[in-house]
Short mmCIF file of all heavy atoms in Angstrom, two decimals:
data_model
loop_
_atom_site.label_atom_id
_atom_site.label_comp_id
_atom_site.label_asym_id
_atom_site.label_seq_id
_atom_site.Cartn_x
_atom_site.Cartn_y
_atom_site.Cartn_z
N SER U 145 -12.13 13.35 -11.24
CA SER U 145 -12.45 14.76 -11.31
C SER U 145 -11.35 15.49 -12.05
O SER U 145 -10.17 15.36 -11.73
CB SER U 145 -12.60 15.34 -9.89
OG SER U 145 -12.71 16.75 -9.93
N SER U 146 -11.70 16.29 -13.07
CA SER U 146 -10.70 16.96 -13.89
C SER U 146 -9.81 17.89 -13.09
O SER U 146 -8.63 18.10 -13.44
CB SER U 146 -11.40 17.75 -15.02
OG SER U 146 -12.29 18.71 -14.47
N LYS U 147 -10.30 18.43 -12.00
CA LYS U 147 -9.52 19.36 -11.19
C LYS U 147 -8.49 18.64 -10.32
O LYS U 147 -7.52 19.24 -9.86
CB LYS U 147 -10.46 20.20 -10.31
CG LYS U 147 -9.79 21.34 -9.58
CD LYS U 147 -10.80 22.16 -8.82
CE LYS U 147 -10.12 23.33 -8.08
NZ LYS U 147 -11.12 24.15 -7.30
N PHE U 148 -8.70 17.34 -10.10
CA PHE U 148 -7.82 16.61 -9.17
C PHE U 148 -7.31 15.32 -9.82
O PHE U 148 -7.34 14.24 -9.23
CB PHE U 148 -8.56 16.29 -7.87
CG PHE U 148 -9.05 17.51 -7.15
CD1 PHE U 148 -10.39 17.87 -7.19
CD2 PHE U 148 -8.17 18.31 -6.46
CE1 PHE U 148 -10.84 19.02 -6.54
CE2 PHE U 148 -8.60 19.46 -5.79
CZ PHE U 148 -9.95 19.82 -5.85
N ARG U 149 -6.84 15.43 -11.06
CA ARG U 149 -6.35 14.28 -11.83
C ARG U 149 -5.25 13.51 -11.12
O ARG U 149 -5.10 12.30 -11.32
CB ARG U 149 -5.86 14.74 -13.20
CG ARG U 149 -6.95 15.26 -14.13
CD ARG U 149 -7.85 14.16 -14.61
NE ARG U 149 -8.76 14.62 -15.65
CZ ARG U 149 -9.88 14.01 -15.98
NH1 ARG U 149 -10.25 12.92 -15.32
NH2 ARG U 149 -10.65 14.48 -16.94
N SER U 150 -4.44 14.20 -10.32
CA SER U 150 -3.27 13.54 -9.73
C SER U 150 -3.62 12.66 -8.54
O SER U 150 -2.84 11.77 -8.17
CB SER U 150 -2.25 14.61 -9.28
OG SER U 150 -1.80 15.37 -10.36
N TYR U 151 -4.79 12.87 -7.91
CA TYR U 151 -5.04 12.29 -6.59
C TYR U 151 -5.78 10.96 -6.68
O TYR U 151 -6.82 10.74 -6.05
CB TYR U 151 -5.80 13.30 -5.71
CG TYR U 151 -4.96 14.51 -5.42
CD1 TYR U 151 -4.96 15.60 -6.29
CD2 TYR U 151 -4.11 14.55 -4.31
CE1 TYR U 151 -4.15 16.70 -6.04
CE2 TYR U 151 -3.31 15.65 -4.07
CZ TYR U 151 -3.33 16.72 -4.94
OH TYR U 151 -2.54 17.81 -4.70
N ALA U 152 -5.16 10.03 -7.44
CA ALA U 152 -5.78 8.69 -7.62
C ALA U 152 -5.73 7.87 -6.36
O ALA U 152 -6.47 6.88 -6.22
CB ALA U 152 -5.07 7.97 -8.76
N GLU U 153 -4.87 8.21 -5.39
CA GLU U 153 -4.76 7.43 -4.16
C GLU U 153 -5.99 7.58 -3.26
O GLU U 153 -6.25 6.74 -2.39
CB GLU U 153 -3.50 7.80 -3.39
CG GLU U 153 -3.48 9.20 -2.79
CD GLU U 153 -2.95 10.26 -3.72
OE1 GLU U 153 -2.94 10.01 -4.95
OE2 GLU U 153 -2.54 11.33 -3.23
N ASN U 154 -6.74 8.67 -3.43
CA ASN U 154 -7.97 8.86 -2.67
C ASN U 154 -9.09 8.08 -3.35
O ASN U 154 -9.52 8.45 -4.46
CB ASN U 154 -8.32 10.34 -2.59
CG ASN U 154 -7.40 11.10 -1.64
OD1 ASN U 154 -6.65 10.49 -0.87
ND2 ASN U 154 -7.43 12.42 -1.71
N ALA U 155 -9.56 7.04 -2.69
CA ALA U 155 -10.54 6.14 -3.30
C ALA U 155 -11.75 5.98 -2.37
O ALA U 155 -11.64 6.15 -1.15
CB ALA U 155 -9.92 4.77 -3.57
N ARG U 156 -12.89 5.65 -2.97
CA ARG U 156 -14.12 5.45 -2.21
C ARG U 156 -14.85 4.22 -2.73
O ARG U 156 -14.83 3.93 -3.93
CB ARG U 156 -15.02 6.67 -2.33
CG ARG U 156 -16.22 6.65 -1.40
CD ARG U 156 -17.09 7.90 -1.54
NE ARG U 156 -17.86 7.88 -2.76
CZ ARG U 156 -18.00 8.91 -3.61
NH1 ARG U 156 -17.37 10.05 -3.36
NH2 ARG U 156 -18.75 8.79 -4.69
N TRP U 157 -15.49 3.48 -1.83
CA TRP U 157 -16.27 2.31 -2.20
C TRP U 157 -17.35 2.09 -1.15
O TRP U 157 -17.37 2.74 -0.10
CB TRP U 157 -15.39 1.08 -2.38
CG TRP U 157 -14.73 0.56 -1.14
CD1 TRP U 157 -15.11 -0.51 -0.36
CD2 TRP U 157 -13.53 1.09 -0.51
NE1 TRP U 157 -14.24 -0.67 0.67
CE2 TRP U 157 -13.27 0.28 0.62
CE3 TRP U 157 -12.68 2.15 -0.79
CZ2 TRP U 157 -12.18 0.53 1.46
CZ3 TRP U 157 -11.61 2.40 0.05
CH2 TRP U 157 -11.37 1.58 1.16
N GLU U 158 -18.27 1.19 -1.45
CA GLU U 158 -19.36 0.88 -0.53
C GLU U 158 -19.53 -0.60 -0.34
O GLU U 158 -19.33 -1.38 -1.29
CB GLU U 158 -20.69 1.44 -1.08
CG GLU U 158 -20.79 2.95 -1.10
CD GLU U 158 -22.17 3.37 -1.60
OE1 GLU U 158 -23.11 3.38 -0.77
OE2 GLU U 158 -22.31 3.64 -2.80
N VAL U 159 -19.88 -1.00 0.84
CA VAL U 159 -20.33 -2.35 1.13
C VAL U 159 -21.52 -2.21 2.08
O VAL U 159 -21.45 -1.49 3.08
CB VAL U 159 -19.23 -3.22 1.81
CG1 VAL U 159 -19.77 -4.59 2.14
CG2 VAL U 159 -18.02 -3.31 0.90
N GLY U 160 -22.61 -2.91 1.75
CA GLY U 160 -23.82 -2.77 2.56
C GLY U 160 -24.28 -1.34 2.53
O GLY U 160 -24.41 -0.72 1.48
N ASN U 161 -24.46 -0.76 3.72
CA ASN U 161 -24.94 0.62 3.82
C ASN U 161 -23.85 1.53 4.38
O ASN U 161 -24.15 2.55 5.00
CB ASN U 161 -26.20 0.68 4.70
CG ASN U 161 -27.06 1.86 4.37
OD1 ASN U 161 -27.09 2.33 3.24
ND2 ASN U 161 -27.80 2.36 5.37
N ILE U 162 -22.58 1.16 4.15
CA ILE U 162 -21.44 1.91 4.69
C ILE U 162 -20.58 2.43 3.54
O ILE U 162 -20.34 1.72 2.56
CB ILE U 162 -20.57 1.01 5.60
CG1 ILE U 162 -21.43 0.31 6.64
CG2 ILE U 162 -19.48 1.84 6.27
CD1 ILE U 162 -22.14 1.23 7.58
N VAL U 163 -20.12 3.66 3.67
CA VAL U 163 -19.20 4.29 2.72
C VAL U 163 -17.80 4.23 3.29
O VAL U 163 -17.57 4.61 4.45
CB VAL U 163 -19.59 5.75 2.44
CG1 VAL U 163 -18.59 6.42 1.51
CG2 VAL U 163 -20.99 5.83 1.85
#
Side-chain angles (χ1 to χ4, degrees):
S145 171
S146 59
K147 189 176 180 181
F148 301 104
R149 293 289 189 201
S150 299
Y151 295 88
E153 68 272 20
N154 287 347
R156 189 180 74 224
W157 67 101
E158 292 183 82
V159 178
N161 206 29
I162 309 298
V163 177

